Amino acid sequence: MAQKTVDTTKRAVPFDKANVPGPKMAKPVKAELAGKIISKAKRPLLIVGTPGADTGLPEIIKTFNSKSIPVAATGSCLKALKQADVEATYVNLHALVSYLKDPKWKGFDGNGNYDTAIFIGHTYYYASQLMSTLKNFTTVKVISIDRHYHPNAQMSFGNLNDDDFRTALKIVAAQL
Amino acid sequence: MVLKKGRFIIEDLENVQINIGNITGAEVEEEEKEKEKKEAHGPTISPGIHGLRDWDRRLLGRYEPVYSPICDLCCYCTYGKCDLTGNKEGACGINMEAHQAREAMVRTITGASAHAGHGRHLLHYLIERFGADHPIDVGPSNIKAPNTQTVLGIRPETIGDFIPVLNYVEEQITQLIATAHAGQEGSALDFDSKALHAGMLDHVGMEVSDIIQISCLGFPKSDENAPLAEIGMGLIDSKKPVLLVIGHNVAAVTYIIDYVEENELIDKIEVVGLCCTAIDMTRYNISAKIVGSMAKQLKYIRSGIPDVIVVDEQCIRGDVLKEASKLHIPVIATNDKIMYNLPDRSNDDINSIMDDLVSGSQPGVLLFDFDKIGELAPELTLKMAPIRKEKGYTALPDDEEFKRLTSSCSRCGACVIACPQGLDIDVAMSDAAGGDLTLFEILHDKCVGCGRCEEECPKGIPVLDVIEKAAQKVIREEKGKVRIGRGQIGDPEIREEGRNLVLGTTPGIVAIVGCPNYPDGSRDIYDIAEEMLKRSFIVVTSGCSAMDIGMFRNEDGKTLYERFGGRFLKGNLLNVGSCVSNAHITATTIKVASIFAGRNIDGNYEEIADYVLCRIGAVGLAWGAFSQKALSIGTGCNRMGIPVILGPHGPKYRRAYIGNPYDPEKWNILDARDGSSHLMEPAPEHLLISAETKDEALPMLAKLCFRPGDNSLGRMIKLTHYIELNEKYLGELPDDWHVYVRSEADLPLAKKEMLLKILEQEHGWEIDWKKKKIIKGPFRRPDVSFQPTNVPRLCKGASV
Ligand code: SF4
Ligand code: SF4
Ligand code: SF4
């Protein structure tokens, strides 16, 4: 069956209307391209927030596991991810962005820091505010494949309804 | 006889009083006292901006500032706007890091000024009313003003003794705000040191404010059995005339309460409060009722129930007058912080003011005369009530209008995008149009009552009113109890519990403080408090958090304040009071250092903060922090060595202090016995950090109670809670639990065998299975005589 398509670059305005950080805002990205960029990253890290435990998302996150992309479980999603057999490491998101900007951090596997941070399933304002640390003080490429437009990422989906969001994630997963 | 500053009353000469201020003799005496102090006390009496810079650098060296800009531009001067994205420099040479540190510092100073300004206002008033020589009485304590003593080396005895204390705070605040002027400081780290200075000053300002009101206004004095006050929108008898006070400065309100009592109006009128004035009002007189926290402001005004509103200062909405006048609720502003462009009627006759307010020819007045406020507010309430109740003023729609409004929603989602909480208002609207109010009832507690949704709705739907109308059933059930603010922790309580705290057998103090900008409703902090109380932590609370904790009941209908004692003992819940009472939390740690450890506290900030950081497992949780005051309170805790966790809105403050546990260079500690340096576990791991959910915050709270000074029993208890909470809320053993193990005696008893196995198999530690002992593995062994410190000059043999 042909893969459903969806344009993830529509409605690329901050989900929290006033969250306009400045002249540099995320480029709206198509799901397919996001998937390709992630698959080409040397040291990608998928960063999942608490709403990432919502129905269906752990299944998608598992695809990252199968492609050996490490998964950081931030907030309190770890329990649900584990129950869905996702391999993930708990880390506090605020601490994680601090580690990501530290060249001394060797990552969860000891092989070095990450060059690409992929955000999914977060409390919107929380993730947005912490992406701004990465945007302003690191060279980490931030790709948001969450359901709302994140101006502080380098690339982001626009604001999506639930169906389109899930379709988009499937497209990303297919590219990994 | 040596003449001292003070007040003399000459016998037989009625009404003659001689005030002695800065006469030469008194000055000489003061100077001598100062000299004595400098000789006998710590090295930093009344430190200036750089006085504790070394200490700050020790803290910031370990807990690195992490900045999260909320805006990438700077528009601070006319060179700007400057685009600082990517840590670029602006036209003045400041880069993004330093600018963010400056922004956070300015907010910290703002918070500190709010409390110091409050304190100065109260001090003027209380000295005028009670005299400068009115004695300080905070309860059974010799250390009456711990923050003041530690920062300034002053031991105040009378309220007048606080004059130089506030002089110092105000001078420092002026110097600090001067550094925010464009084109000077270029170092982020130094801005942070200044922010820490402002935070410390805040705790002094708060301490002054609360001690003088406790001493003069008959508030509970270290009273573990302080009575329970009623709280909740559902408890207010709206059939009676309702007088609502909002704010933080209780001075004017005491006159209202006195008038109500003296004129036997107590049963005829409901005097209710929002925010900290409400807390302090119940400390003054238990008959007053608390509506709730800051988040209830707009909601309660819109209900139309208040007949008169009195405002004082701080966390009060800017649109109170606008909202109130729509519903013909007169507003009396009583403090020059908030004047709403109202006419000053302080010199007018009460009847003429009353006439203008009743007729609505003036929507409100400014009134600085407390006697007049005391009489006018209740009398006006009695007059307004029948008029308003007859007209049925309320902003809430009736059933028919509610139906029309919810059906007119086009589900465009503009409100959702505007809502700071991103609440599913659009879905709730369509559910409600179909007759299902469940989602709105849930949203009611999550909604912080900001009104941003309404500003955006293209259909002009008054969204907040719709939520409140839909949640009427829930609101009627909002009935709680809160133990009124007890004030300081008394010296005898510290004597009894200090040892347990330092050794870790009481696992820690969790201070749940701050505002109601919660990520997921107010129930979270009730749940957190209950979990930690059941685990024998001491839970201390204040302000809006103290109120919200009292809003929920268990299956037996009991609030946490009814279920847990109010003494400074493990498993007790202590409401210290209003925002300014937060000073008693840092004060408690100072008292432990003094009473339990015998440390000299006078002008000895660094040593005391070092002691707190190394030994006292205290952690703050400002789960719904929104205000600048909350930031300054937290920053003051940080300088004192107390870590703080913020809710997910917290990174909007722009900076955090985060430890990197993987970096061994950060975790060296000295043994004061010989100055030797040791690698230690990351304890506490962070100084200022946020969490996304309460389930994440809970294990973090336990973890941030670890201290390098824990003995084995204490570490075992703390580790037990950390592990159990992690398993319960995050579903597995924490992956860093082993880092906190120094010997087998640190291991939780019930899991010892299993944990030893993991240490051997997963971490390569060597175990003697016969003796169940750890042979090799931990990087540090416990040593009961170990004296951890971060300050080289405190080590034996150090050249000071
Ligand atoms: S203060 Fe500096 S960075 Fe800010 S607008 Fe002025 S020149 Fe630009
Ligand atoms: S009033 Fe409530 S629903 Fe409306 S924007 Fe504010 S928090 Fe959201
Ligand atoms: S903004 Fe108004 S019309 Fe649009 S979804 Fe919200 S309530 Fe409905």
Side-chain angles (χ1 to χ4, degrees):
Chain A
M1 202 176 81
Q3 173 81 56
K4 252 175 82 183
T5 58
V6 56
D7 184 357
T8 52
T9 61
K10 280 194 198 150
R11 301 223 304 158
V13 289
F15 174 65
D16 182 341
K17 196 179 178 187
N19 186 27
V20 180
K24 194 176 168 197
M25 307 237 285
K27 220 169 135 203
V29 67
K30 291 216 158 94
E32 204 170 25
L33 181 61
K36 280 192 179 129
I37 294 170
I38 295 166
S39 71
K40 287 200 181 118
K42 281 203 186 85
R43 291 280 294 161
L45 175 68
L46 181 71
I47 305 173
V48 187
T50 307
D54 288 356
T55 336
L57 293 195
E59 285 313 306
I60 299 281
I61 295 165
K62 253 199 233 172
T63 329
F64 286 76
N65 273 170
S66 68
K67 302 292 171 184
S68 303
I69 296 174
V71 177
T74 71
S76 48
C77 66
L78 184 70
K79 204 172 176 177
L81 293 191
K82 289 269 157 186
Q83 277 160 6
D85 292 326
V86 174
E87 257 178 59
T89 309
Y90 164 73
V91 61
N92 170 277
L93 184 59
H94 213 153
L96 177 60
V97 300
S98 163
Y99 307 163
L100 284 169
K101 74 184 188 62
D102 182 359
K104 279 191 195 158
W105 190 46
K106 296 283 173 257
F108 296 112
D109 56 4
N111 290 335
N113 213 324
Y114 301 94
D115 63 358
T116 306
I118 307 122
F119 278 71
I120 187 172
H122 290 269
T123 301
Y124 178 76
Y125 53 86
Y126 188 50
S128 177
Q129 198 57 27
L130 293 176
M131 281 179 198
S132 98
T133 303
L134 299 175
K135 168 184 175 180
N136 282 292
F137 305 112
T138 72
T139 52
V140 175
K141 186 180 277 180
V142 177
I143 304 173
S144 171
I145 52 167
D146 221 333
R147 53 175 296 175
H148 298 303
Y149 176 71
H150 268 292
N152 285 323
Q154 203 166 333
M155 276 169 264
S156 170
F157 287 171
N159 295 311
L160 304 174
N161 66 31
D162 206 45
D163 283 350
D164 287 352
F165 174 50
R166 281 159 204 280
T167 308
L169 291 180
K170 282 184 191 143
I171 298 171
V172 172
Q175 294 298 325
L176 295 179
Chain B
M1 184 183 110
V2 183
L3 281 181
K4 291 183 181 174
K5 278 188 195 178
R7 193 173 62 171
F8 286 72
I9 295 175
I10 299 175
E11 257 178 68
D12 302 329
L13 279 179
E14 248 176 72
N15 300 328
V16 172
Q17 173 184 309
I18 298 175
N19 288 314
I20 302 201
N22 286 331
I23 63 163
T24 325
E27 265 174 19
V28 170
E29 201 202 4
E30 291 284 306
E31 270 170 27
E32 272 166 13
K33 266 197 200 162
E34 280 302 310
K35 214 173 130 206
E36 264 171 41
K37 253 186 238 160
K38 284 209 169 95
E39 280 159 9
H41 301 337
T44 52
I45 288 184
S46 308
I49 291 182
H50 66 276
L52 288 158
R53 187 170 178 257
D54 286 348
W55 171 244
D56 296 339
R57 294 175 86 81
R58 291 186 225 291
L59 286 176
L60 302 176
R62 181 179 296 158
Y63 305 104
E64 280 184 30
V66 177
Y67 304 107
S68 48
I70 200 163
C71 174
D72 299 339
L73 306 177
C74 177
C75 51
Y76 206 62
C77 78
T78 68
Y79 279 145
K81 300 178 178 178
C82 294
D83 173 16
L84 306 182
T85 314
N87 207 21
K88 280 188 288 212
E89 279 184 11
C92 64
I94 203 169
N95 65 11
M96 178 64 112
E97 263 193 353
H99 173 58
Q100 293 307 310
R102 175 173 65 181
E103 290 281 76
M105 179 197 74
V106 168
R107 275 139 194 94
T108 313
I109 297 170
T110 308
S113 316
H115 290 136
H118 175 181
R120 177 60 83 176
H121 180 274
L122 271 178
L123 190 62
H124 278 316
Y125 155 67
L126 293 172
I127 286 181
E128 200 180 302
R129 185 164 164 201
F130 296 92
D133 52 358
H134 186 88
I136 289 172
D137 180 6
V138 286
S141 288
N142 289 325
I143 310 173
K144 295 189 171 78
N147 278 287
T148 305
Q149 217 175 310
T150 308
V151 176
L152 291 96
I154 288 178
R155 300 179 186 192
E157 294 293 335
T158 66
I159 63 169
D161 290 344
F162 280 122
I163 295 171
V165 177
L166 281 187
N167 288 348
Y168 160 75
V169 171
E170 288 160 354
E171 187 212 318
Q172 289 303 303
I173 284 177
T174 309
Q175 297 295 351
L176 280 173
I177 200 70
T179 71
H181 185 278
Q184 36 189 346
E185 184 64 83
S187 155
L189 219 56
D190 271 310
F191 272 127
D192 271 309
S193 169
K194 287 162 183 158
L196 290 164
H197 193 56
M200 178 192 77
L201 297 171
D202 189 27
H203 283 252
V204 177
M206 291 192 292
E207 183 167 274
V208 174
S209 309
D210 209 34
I211 288 182
I212 57 177
Q213 60 179 1
I214 289 170
S215 302
C216 296
L217 300 177
F219 288 9
K221 302 179 200 311
S222 295
D223 182 2
E224 63 180 287
N225 296 313
L228 296 163
E230 296 195 308
I231 177 168
M233 295 216 256
L235 272 165
I236 291 147
D237 184 354
S238 56
K239 291 196 191 74
K240 285 187 187 168
V242 176
L243 169 55
L244 170 67
V245 301
I246 316 177
H248 289 73
N249 187 333
V250 79
V253 180
T254 59
Y255 284 74
I256 295 173
I257 292 178
D258 289 349
Y259 184 90
V260 167
E261 228 173 30
E262 280 156 23
N263 292 278
E264 293 174 2
L265 298 173
I266 281 215
D267 295 330
K268 300 194 179 76
I269 187 170
E270 290 275 78
V271 182
V272 304
L274 275 161
C275 242
C276 282
T277 292
I279 288 225
D280 283 345
M281 178 166 93
T282 57
R283 291 165 94 188
Y284 185 69
N285 189 315
I286 192 70
S287 68
K289 287 179 183 168
I290 305 173
V291 179
S293 63
M294 159 94 192
K296 302 276 196 292
Q297 260 183 58
L298 196 49
K299 298 178 180 182
Y300 197 58
I301 295 172
R302 295 271 186 94
S303 74
I305 292 171
D307 294 304
V308 172
I309 297 175
V310 175
V311 294
D312 52 76
E313 60 173 293
Q314 295 162 52
C315 308
I316 301 174
R317 292 181 60 92
D319 58 359
V320 165
L321 181 70
K322 188 183 108 196
E323 291 286 339
S325 49
K326 280 189 216 159
L327 299 171
H328 196 25
I329 309 171
V331 174
I332 305 173
T334 63
N335 187 300
D336 47 20
K337 309 273 184 349
I338 302 172
M339 298 194 278
Y340 291 140
N341 196 28
L342 290 169
D344 182 357
R345 303 288 301 267
S346 303
N347 297 319
D348 293 352
D349 160 71
I350 285 189
N351 289 329
S352 77
I353 306 172
M354 183 108 71
D355 289 346
D356 290 341
L357 290 173
V358 172
S359 70
S361 69
Q362 277 179 356
V365 292
L366 200 54
L367 205 53
F368 297 124
D369 180 322
F370 289 172
D371 285 311
K372 284 185 184 168
I373 296 167
E375 183 181 343
L376 176 71
E379 293 295 346
L380 180 65
T381 309
L382 289 169
K383 276 217 166 140
M384 291 302 299
I387 303 169
R388 294 191 66 265
K389 289 187 180 11
E390 194 200 321
K391 292 244 165 90
Y393 284 113
T394 176
L396 302 195
D398 60 20
D399 292 344
E400 211 171 299
E401 179 68 356
F402 177 79
K403 226 172 167 188
R404 189 191 70 76
L405 288 170
T406 49
S407 310
S408 71
C409 167
S410 62
R411 291 202 66 178
C412 67
C415 51
V416 184
I417 284 192
C419 175
Q421 310 286 48
L423 298 178
D424 292 331
I425 304 159
D426 51 349
V427 183
M429 285 280 176
S430 79
D431 284 3
D436 181 1
L437 301 180
T438 325
L439 185 53
F440 266 138
E441 285 175 347
I442 295 168
L443 295 192
H444 159 73
D445 186 43
K446 299 185 193 226
C447 160
V448 295
C450 68
R452 252 163 57 172
C453 44
E454 298 180 351
E455 298 290 317
E456 299 298 331
C457 177
K459 302 273 178 184
I461 299 173
V463 179
L464 182 61
D465 301 343
V466 169
I467 298 176
E468 290 305 283
K469 170 72 182 176
Q472 283 301 299
K473 205 172 87 203
V474 181
I475 293 168
R476 276 195 291 275
E477 291 310 310
E478 285 183 357
K479 297 173 185 173
K481 280 198 165 50
V482 54
R483 191 172 302 288
I484 66 170
R486 51 159 285 154
Q488 265 187 10
I489 314 307
D491 293 2
E493 290 172 280
I494 303 282
R495 239 166 254 129
E496 193 181 332
E497 186 67 358
R499 184 185 172 78
N500 296 331
L501 208 52
V502 172
L503 298 181
T505 44
T506 291
I509 305 174
V510 173
I512 305 180
V513 302
C515 338
N517 192 16
Y518 310 119
D520 199 27
S522 52
R523 172 131 200 148
D524 276 0
I525 57 162
Y526 167 85
D527 291 339
I528 293 170
E530 186 184 40
E531 177 74 68
M532 298 317 266
L533 283 165
K534 283 187 184 161
R535 293 180 173 275
S536 295
F537 285 76
I538 300 174
V539 176
V540 181
T541 183
S542 65
C544 285
S545 295
M547 301 187 215
D548 284 328
I549 283 176
M551 289 300 298
F552 299 90
R553 297 167 183 274
N554 67 356
E555 47 298 342
D556 301 328
K558 291 229 159 45
T559 62
L560 289 179
Y561 292 104
E562 293 161 288
R563 289 164 59 198
F564 296 90
R567 189 168 173 77
F568 188 66
L569 266 186
K570 61 174 73 173
N572 274 235
L573 171 62
L574 292 74
N575 173 17
V576 282
S578 55
C579 283
V580 288
S581 312
N582 281 309
H584 307 321
I585 298 171
T586 35
T588 301
T589 60
I590 296 170
K591 282 189 175 201
V592 173
S594 169
I595 294 170
F596 171 70
R599 301 290 177 115
N600 169 26
I601 64 173
D602 299 72
N604 202 17
Y605 193 94
E606 182 180 46
E607 181 175 341
I608 299 308
D610 177 55
Y611 181 86
V612 173
L613 184 66
C614 290
R615 306 268 194 169
I616 304 178
V619 54
L621 178 75
W623 195 236
F626 95 94
S627 71
Q628 295 77 23
K629 296 194 304 159
L631 179 63
S632 61
I633 294 166
T635 309
C637 285
N638 291 162
R639 198 184 220 188
M640 185 49 84
I642 302 171
V644 174
I645 302 174
L646 301 166
H649 285 290
K652 294 180 196 165
Y653 282 128
R654 301 172 179 79
R655 64 112 167 86
Y657 300 133
I658 293 182
N660 296 340
Y662 51 82
D663 183 354
E665 278 173 31
K666 305 277 182 193
W667 304 100
N668 280 310
I669 192 135
L670 305 171
D671 187 341
R673 290 174 301 178
D674 56 8
S676 56
S677 176
H678 302 260
L679 185 62
M680 66 158 190
E681 60 280 19
E685 190 178 21
H686 310 293
L687 206 51
L688 183 66
I689 192 160
S690 60
E692 189 183 15
T693 61
K694 83 163 188 222
D695 287 7
E696 185 185 21
L698 274 155
M700 277 173 87
L701 282 169
K703 184 179 180 177
L704 291 182
C705 286
F706 288 127
R707 292 296 176 276
D710 296 339
N711 74 1
S712 283
L713 180 61
R715 180 58 63 86
M716 180 193 82
I717 293 170
K718 291 181 182 188
L719 195 53
T720 304
H721 293 300
Y722 176 44
I723 288 178
E724 284 181 5
L725 284 165
N726 215 85
E727 286 179 322
K728 182 168 174 185
Y729 292 98
L730 298 181
E732 64 174 28
L733 276 174
D735 56 12
D736 59 353
W737 65 269
H738 63 286
V739 169
Y740 297 99
V741 179
R742 301 160 303 177
S743 85
E744 58 288 338
D746 289 349
L747 292 171
L749 278 180
K751 293 189 163 73
K752 194 166 177 178
E753 187 108 8
M754 185 260 286
L755 295 176
L756 281 172
K757 258 187 209 141
I758 297 177
L759 287 173
E760 187 181 55
Q761 288 164 7
E762 291 178 22
H763 301 287
W765 290 23
E766 219 174 286
I767 312 290
D768 176 343
W769 281 104
K770 260 196 203 138
K771 294 187 185 146
K772 299 230 165 56
K773 268 178 108 69
I774 297 169
I775 309 291
K776 216 167 136 197
F779 47 72
R780 185 165 84 86
R781 286 274 169 188
D783 171 356
V784 279
S785 319
F786 181 56
Q787 287 177 25
T789 178
N790 299 288
V791 184
R793 73 174 168 82
L794 297 177
C795 297
K796 206 170 166 194
S799 53
V800 183

